[in-house]
Amino acid sequence: MNKHFGSLHVLRDIDLTVSRNEVVVLIGPSGSGKSTLCRTINRLETIDSGSITIDGRPLPAEGRGLARLRSEVGMVFQSFNLFAHKTVLENLTLAQIKVRKRSKAEADKKARELLDRVGLADQAPKYPAQLSGGQQQRVAIARSLAMDPKVMLFDEPTSALDPEMINEVLEVMRTLAVEGMTMVVVTHEMGFARSAANRVVFMADGRIMESRRPEDFFDHPETDRAKDFLSKILKH
Amino acid sequence: MNVLLDNFALFRKGFVGTLELTLASSAIALGIGVLMAGCRVSPVRPLRILGGVWVTVLRNTPLTLLFFAVVLGLPRFGVVLPFFTLAVLALGCYTSAFICEAVRSGINTVPVGQGEAARSLGMNFGRTLSLIVLPQALRAVIPPVGSTLIALAKNTAIAGSFSVVELLGTYRTLNELGYDIVVTFLWIAVGYLIITLSISALFRFLEKRLEVAR
């Protein structure tokens, strides 16, 4: 699969398969295309050539098919993107009611269960702006989970957070991983990559350089690019 | 000497005419304006072109010319409507172009991520726009829409030249009856002020309301 932004070739000959229940962590320097790759999976970015299949079916181009697929692929953003004009509870119920056609009572019940699971049951009536970054991101994860997704995509979920809030989000993600959720995670949290990932995919300049088990990658990187990257971030 | 009290019925008829024109045209302008703004940001190219052409044509045509086009043009195609309806159509469509652009600028104030989050949850374009983007755009849109509707209220005066009963037109009768034209216009201005200041008040109220809502 390939993608260009104008003359910039951001994704070059990407070939990646994620198995069911697998947790794949995408790492690499800024501008390496990992976020873009993550966003192509639910077609928030289009691709120029190649193909993407989810659950054996090719990614629909537009319209109803794409909407249905997106409802089964959860996405968590760097900037949370909670609906600012809705309460926390409404954030979780809106798509359940409008897209999944669940009754309000059913959606409410599911939403409260999930809020409880991410430790925010008491925040339901608040607006997103009243929560801390870490709390907002946990709500965003719960919002995605409310749709019963088959896959979860995380696009740098902790990059906009204060250091003390990163762990509460990673903890929720770690639990998800343990429970067998299929996950694609773009992150700079090497600790998470090492402990929670089944596979680490290292990208640079739009290419996948390495795709290996975390312990192999971190302890014995094969490519010079990966060695260079790891030496820079693991120095401190 | 007392223009207003002697001719209160006439003034009232004109005032009600202007009010009706304003209300009906506002409804059309808001409806079509929001619809066209939706078209202009839609992923479907033909709709985007439709919205673009609508705004370009209507925003760049003098309103009086549009009145002539509607009043003289439509009957040629066998469309026979009362003058009031024709005036509402002309005013509504003309103003919808400005409403469209105000709404579109409001849509642009909503962070892209809001739409992306909605789409990633499986919402289609219509739901994303109506449930997520437009409600958040509303606050930014209210002041310019208020100004546009005030302009609309004043533009209704043109309908008087096309056989529609409205406030400004009352001066003709009163002038023939020999009343002081300056005093007549003064009272007409008061009539317009009542309508325009009411619109201002309504929109200030809406602005306050939405500020508390989050």
Side-chain angles (χ1 to χ4, degrees):
Chain A
M1 151 182 119
N2 279 281
K3 179 180 176 64
H4 299 77
F5 280 137
S7 61
L8 187 68
H9 199 168
V10 283
L11 294 178
R12 298 167 189 255
D13 305 323
I14 299 289
D15 182 1
L16 176 68
T17 306
V18 180
S19 317
R20 193 158 301 181
N21 303 336
E22 192 179 23
V23 178
V24 171
V25 170
L26 298 176
I27 61 174
S30 301
S32 60
K34 48 195 194 312
S35 276
T36 309
L37 174 58
C38 185
R39 289 162 56 87
T40 57
I41 299 175
N42 66 356
R43 216 182 154 86
L44 284 179
E45 301 283 356
T46 54
I47 53 173
D48 300 326
S49 66
S51 67
I52 299 174
T53 55
I54 295 183
D55 217 7
R57 283 168 305 180
L59 193 63
E62 266 306 327
R64 211 166 291 171
L66 181 61
R68 191 176 310 128
L69 176 124
R70 280 177 176 155
S71 73
E72 293 178 349
V73 177
M75 176 108 194
V76 176
F77 300 86
Q78 179 176 352
S79 47
F80 327 133
N81 295 345
L82 291 177
F83 304 136
H85 62 308
K86 301 272 182 196
T87 64
V88 166
L89 187 70
E90 287 164 346
N91 263 279
L92 266 74
T93 55
L94 186 67
Q96 289 192 69
I97 295 168
K98 298 290 177 185
V99 179
R100 280 275 183 274
K101 308 289 179 201
R102 289 179 187 148
S103 71
K104 190 170 182 315
E106 202 183 344
D108 266 11
K109 185 166 168 282
K110 176 114 192 155
R112 289 189 191 282
E113 275 169 22
L114 284 164
L115 282 177
D116 193 37
R117 205 168 128 190
V118 297
L120 295 170
D122 49 339
Q123 310 288 336
K126 290 194 183 167
Y127 283 91
Q130 296 169 285
L131 305 186
S132 73
Q135 289 172 325
Q136 288 191 50
Q137 193 61 298
R138 282 186 281 156
V139 171
I141 294 173
R143 177 176 69 177
S144 287
L145 290 176
M147 301 297 283
D148 298 317
K150 292 178 176 156
V151 191
M152 288 282 288
L153 309 174
F154 294 83
D155 184 6
E156 303 204 19
T158 56
S159 298
L161 296 177
D162 290 341
E164 51 185 331
M165 292 169 184
I166 290 177
N167 269 328
E168 65 188 53
V169 172
L170 290 182
E171 206 41 60
V172 171
M173 290 167 61
R174 206 166 272 138
T175 316
L176 269 180
V178 170
E179 288 168 359
M181 176 62 79
T182 310
M183 291 162 64
V184 175
V185 185
V186 176
T187 188
H188 295 294
E189 294 300 321
M190 296 305 144
F192 177 81
R194 201 185 258 274
S195 65
N198 301 116
R199 188 147 54 104
V200 170
V201 171
F202 175 73
M203 288 183 71
D205 308 321
R207 274 184 227 282
I208 291 181
M209 311 295 282
E210 297 195 31
S211 173
R212 304 162 64 203
R213 296 195 322 161
E215 49 268 43
D216 294 344
F217 173 76
F218 284 111
D219 298 338
H220 310 286
E222 275 168 357
T223 55
D224 290 340
R225 199 74 184 74
K227 282 176 195 159
D228 182 49
F229 177 75
L230 286 175
S231 73
K232 277 178 186 151
I233 56 163
L234 296 178
K235 207 171 275 174
H236 315 286
Chain B
M1 194 59 215
N2 202 333
V3 193
L4 181 70
L5 292 181
D6 292 354
N7 301 284
F8 193 72
L10 183 70
F11 269 115
R12 193 178 57 196
K13 215 170 134 202
F15 179 82
V16 171
T18 292
L19 193 64
E20 282 173 350
L21 277 172
T22 306
L23 290 176
S25 311
S26 295
I28 290 191
L30 288 171
I32 299 182
V34 172
L35 199 69
M36 285 299 157
C39 285
R40 293 206 73 176
V41 298
S42 103
V44 185
R45 205 172 122 85
L47 288 181
R48 281 204 302 274
I49 293 174
L50 170 72
V53 170
W54 182 267
V55 168
T56 309
V57 169
L58 289 168
R59 198 168 56 166
N60 298 306
T61 310
L63 180 56
T64 314
L65 192 66
L66 206 62
F67 264 94
F68 276 118
V70 171
V71 171
L72 303 176
L74 284 183
R76 293 206 178 172
F77 297 99
V79 184
V80 183
L81 294 166
F83 280 117
F84 178 83
T85 313
L86 292 174
V88 165
L89 274 180
L91 280 165
C93 291
Y94 175 78
T95 311
S96 76
F98 296 91
I99 300 278
C100 169
E101 290 304 272
V103 171
R104 194 166 66 95
S105 74
I107 288 174
N108 289 337
T109 65
V110 179
V112 185
Q114 294 284 312
E116 286 187 347
R119 280 188 287 149
S120 77
L121 286 166
M123 292 190 206
N124 57 24
F125 173 74
R127 283 211 188 97
T128 301
L129 195 64
S130 62
L131 296 173
I132 305 301
V133 178
L134 281 179
Q136 296 189 63
L138 198 59
R139 218 164 56 122
V141 162
I142 281 185
V145 166
S147 303
T148 308
L149 292 187
I150 287 171
L152 165 67
K154 296 183 295 182
N155 284 340
T156 56
I158 295 176
S161 312
F162 293 86
S163 315
V164 179
V165 178
E166 52 76 51
L167 189 55
L168 183 63
T170 54
Y171 90 90
R172 283 190 215 100
T173 318
L174 295 171
N175 195 25
E176 279 164 24
L177 291 173
Y179 287 99
D180 184 347
I181 195 82
V182 175
V183 181
T184 307
F185 278 139
L186 210 64
W187 284 115
I188 289 175
V190 170
Y192 279 108
L193 272 176
I194 292 173
I195 295 177
T196 50
L197 290 180
S198 305
I199 298 176
S200 299
L202 172 69
F203 277 78
R204 241 197 328 269
F205 168 75
L206 287 176
E207 215 180 325
K208 283 256 159 60
R209 262 298 285 275
L210 286 167
E211 221 164 325
V212 205
R214 65 158 152 186

